[in-house]
Amino acid sequence: MQKHAAIGMVLAAGIFLLLGGCSDSNFGEVTGTVTIDGKPCPAGIEIMFEPQIEGGSVSQGVTGEGGTYEMHYTRDQKGVMVGKSLVRLQIPMGFDPQSGQSMTDGEELGKIVIPPEFGSDSTFEVEVKSGEQVIDIPVTTSN
């Protein structure tokens, strides 16, 4: 009977590992600050880290006060997959960057324009390592 219990525990542990996906060494805990022309960006800018490996899933974050952010792989798991990631920024839905009008409470957010090289046509790539790290995102709007 003990043999069956031990086999059951080994099988359960194996299933847990398979369903759990990746180990913690496959993720880096990423925090940082987004600046626009050297000044901290307002709260509410959405950040995406898109792993440049096949099958990689996007991690997301949102700037808080002072432009700081923390990335999340899932709602319950902090981090970004280890390796190269393309970083994209976007203004959340509800803001019209042309008119500066906000459909929510975000006085400064409506004035922000994300340059294409940090937005839809991003070329800003970073290397994420295992463990805790700070990756600042310095956006420039002038050439």
Side-chain angles (χ1 to χ4, degrees):
M1 192 59 133
Q2 286 181 332
K3 184 176 181 180
H4 292 297
I7 292 171
M9 288 179 67
V10 169
L11 287 174
I15 290 170
F16 176 79
L17 288 173
L18 285 174
L19 292 178
C22 304
S23 69
D24 287 343
S25 66
N26 292 329
F27 291 89
E29 288 191 34
V30 178
T31 60
T33 303
V34 178
T35 56
I36 298 177
D37 295 327
K39 298 176 184 168
C41 78
I45 299 288
E46 296 174 351
I47 306 160
M48 288 153 286
F49 277 53
E50 299 176 4
Q52 299 300 289
I53 58 171
E54 190 171 330
S57 293
V58 173
S59 290
Q60 299 181 351
V62 177
T63 57
E65 191 173 321
T68 60
Y69 73 91
E70 176 179 73
M71 297 306 294
H72 291 266
Y73 185 68
T74 65
R75 185 186 324 194
D76 299 323
Q77 182 179 356
K78 294 179 187 177
V80 177
M81 292 181 77
V82 169
K84 290 186 187 284
S85 276
L86 196 60
V87 178
R88 295 185 195 278
L89 304 176
Q90 72 179 27
I91 298 169
M93 298 299 288
F95 288 93
D96 179 2
Q98 300 294 357
S99 68
Q101 297 297 311
S102 169
M103 296 182 339
T104 61
D105 295 335
E107 64 284 345
E108 291 183 65
L109 216 53
K111 300 175 188 172
I112 300 296
V113 175
I114 304 294
E117 61 271 19
F118 288 92
S120 58
D121 297 327
S122 181
T123 57
F124 188 69
E125 195 171 73
V126 297
E127 181 74 30
V128 176
K129 296 176 173 60
S130 182
E132 293 181 15
Q133 61 221 275
V134 174
I135 298 177
D136 292 329
I137 305 171
V139 177
T140 53
T141 59
S142 57
N143 292 333

